[in-house]
Amino acid sequence: MSSGMQDRLPPVDYIPRITAQYAGLGYGEYRWLASETQPAWTPLTKPLSECRLGFIATGGIYASGQTAFHFKDDTSYRAIPNSIATEELRATHFAYDLTDARKDINVVFPIEALKSMVEEKKIAELGPNSYTLMGGIYSTRRVIEDLIPSLVQRVLDDELDVVLLVPV
Amino acid sequence: MSLIARAIEEAGIPTLSMSSARDITRSAWPARSTYLDFPLGHTAGRPHMPELNRAIIRDTLSAFETLSVPGSMSHLSYRWDENDQWKDKVFAPAEKSVDSDHQKNKNNGYEDDRVARHDTPQYQTEADELAAFKSHGDEECEICIGIDF
């Protein structure tokens, strides 16, 4: 019959697929974060168009001149000035296909689209920096003890009104 | 990532998490999220398609003002391709072939495509390694935070 858009397949369920793959390869089970309590909720206190937005991305993004991430539970992060030229941005990671991210970093680090949102007055402005990290960290304890307090303090110091998170 | 989102929200700043892994994000349960049905590694769009990527971010940001229930997720309507065939191959065992080697058989059909967990910085290019060395010298860097190697 006619071509064109076919019915959609449902979203991929990653947890059972990755669990099966790890079992097939003989790896230990990865413990997915399963939050049992409803998340805290902070309402916006002004229209989005008046908000200063910060963003945090996993995906192992760094700027040329910075130290790259390593692949063994790296809980460090990088502050990337939002004034940086896009060509200076790099991606390094063990867990996803980097092909498209290295063609155009915007697929995992939407800096250009966010700058357009300022021009469109969808948001008021961007914070001074974006923050980047690895994700895929096995030790929840290290994320809670080493990474989160420092990163939350940065976000508070930047006086952001809203934060966008872009995982991979 | 959702642990970070939950902590920032708790510190008094509204957050929105993008996702292209619906079940993982649901399990981790951040305050607000948007789901984009694209393959992993494309959370914010496709290479060299700035118009599409702007539309995705525009719709994503709108969720800051439309989501009103703590922990809820909004689905974006964008599609990767016409038939969703990419979904069949994600983390699936390799198709059986006559010449499949012993390793594949031993691993129940799964290929081990994971990268070794190196504990030293993994630069995209050699030039980056030189640039990092040059810019750091003996000084402590203020924008590479918490490095542990």
Side-chain angles (χ1 to χ4, degrees):
Chain A
M1 271 223 343
S2 66
S3 62
M5 298 294 263
Q6 298 171 17
D7 288 343
R8 297 188 76 136
L9 294 175
V12 172
D13 283 328
Y14 285 96
I15 294 176
R17 290 203 197 188
I18 295 173
T19 301
Q21 188 199 45
Y22 278 27
L25 293 171
Y27 292 126
E29 206 176 323
Y30 185 84
R31 283 167 51 211
W32 303 95
L33 177 63
S35 299
E36 283 164 12
T37 54
Q38 197 169 38
W41 178 266
T42 303
L44 270 72
T45 52
K46 52 186 169 184
L48 187 63
S49 58
E50 294 172 22
C51 286
R52 177 180 168 94
L53 179 139
F55 86 106
I56 301 175
T58 57
I61 295 128
Y62 67 95
S64 181
Q66 294 183 337
T67 304
F69 294 94
H70 67 73
F71 292 172
K72 204 169 181 186
D73 262 17
D74 192 337
T75 53
S76 68
Y77 63 92
R78 307 288 174 269
I80 298 189
N82 284 330
S83 55
I84 200 161
T86 311
E87 307 83 68
E88 298 296 311
L89 297 171
R90 308 282 187 263
T92 188
H93 212 282
F94 57 86
Y96 73 98
D97 183 348
L98 294 162
T99 311
D100 283 348
R102 287 182 172 177
K103 273 185 211 157
D104 180 1
I105 199 73
N106 286 288
V107 304
V108 289
F109 189 79
I111 182 71
E112 287 174 0
L114 286 168
K115 284 180 179 169
S116 298
M117 294 307 111
V118 177
E119 284 164 29
E120 290 182 17
K121 302 195 189 327
K122 180 92 179 165
I123 52 176
E125 59 178 340
L126 294 177
N129 299 307
S130 303
Y131 299 99
T132 58
L133 54 148
M134 278 302 270
I137 297 160
Y138 272 73
S139 171
T140 305
R141 180 192 61 78
R142 291 190 56 208
V143 172
I144 292 171
E145 290 178 6
D146 303 344
L147 177 58
I148 286 181
S150 167
L151 197 50
V152 168
Q153 193 55 52
R154 283 266 174 169
V155 164
L156 292 172
D157 291 347
D158 286 351
E159 299 183 326
L160 305 172
D161 299 308
V162 289
V163 173
L164 177 70
L165 297 105
V166 189
V168 169
Chain B
M1 191 58 135
S2 295
L3 270 180
I4 297 168
R6 288 172 68 105
I8 293 172
E9 193 86 27
E10 220 160 277
I13 302 176
T15 64
L16 175 64
S17 303
M18 298 182 81
S19 170
S20 41
R22 190 180 70 159
D23 64 333
I24 294 173
T25 301
R26 276 188 169 169
S27 173
W29 210 5
R32 299 171 198 77
S33 57
T34 53
Y35 170 65
L36 177 66
D37 196 4
F38 279 10
L40 297 186
H42 308 88
T43 320
R46 308 184 74 133
H48 306 303
M49 293 187 69
E51 196 142 329
L52 169 71
N53 300 348
R54 277 195 296 274
I56 288 169
I57 290 296
R58 199 179 292 122
D59 288 356
T60 296
L61 294 182
S62 292
F64 267 120
E65 297 187 311
T66 55
L67 292 174
S68 57
V69 177
S72 52
M73 174 184 272
S74 163
H75 284 216
L76 305 183
S77 58
Y78 304 92
R79 277 183 88 161
W80 182 256
D81 59 21
E82 287 190 2
N83 56 26
D84 285 349
Q85 287 307 300
W86 64 271
K87 293 182 178 181
D88 295 335
K89 299 179 194 120
V90 176
F91 294 103
E95 278 172 35
K96 293 233 185 299
S97 64
V98 190
D99 61 342
S100 65
D101 56 39
H102 296 299
Q103 189 65 19
K104 272 189 204 164
N105 293 334
K106 204 170 68 188
N107 292 332
N108 305 313
Y110 286 97
E111 276 186 83
D112 193 355
D113 54 3
R114 304 195 318 170
V115 178
R117 300 297 179 98
H118 305 289
D119 61 1
T120 52
Q122 300 298 306
Y123 292 92
Q124 182 175 326
T125 68
E126 219 167 283
D128 289 349
E129 186 163 7
L130 287 172
F133 183 74
K134 232 175 172 179
S135 69
H136 286 78
D138 295 330
E139 312 283 316
E140 197 174 317
C141 177
E142 286 176 12
I143 54 176
C144 304
I145 302 120
I147 290 172
D148 63 351
F149 60 86

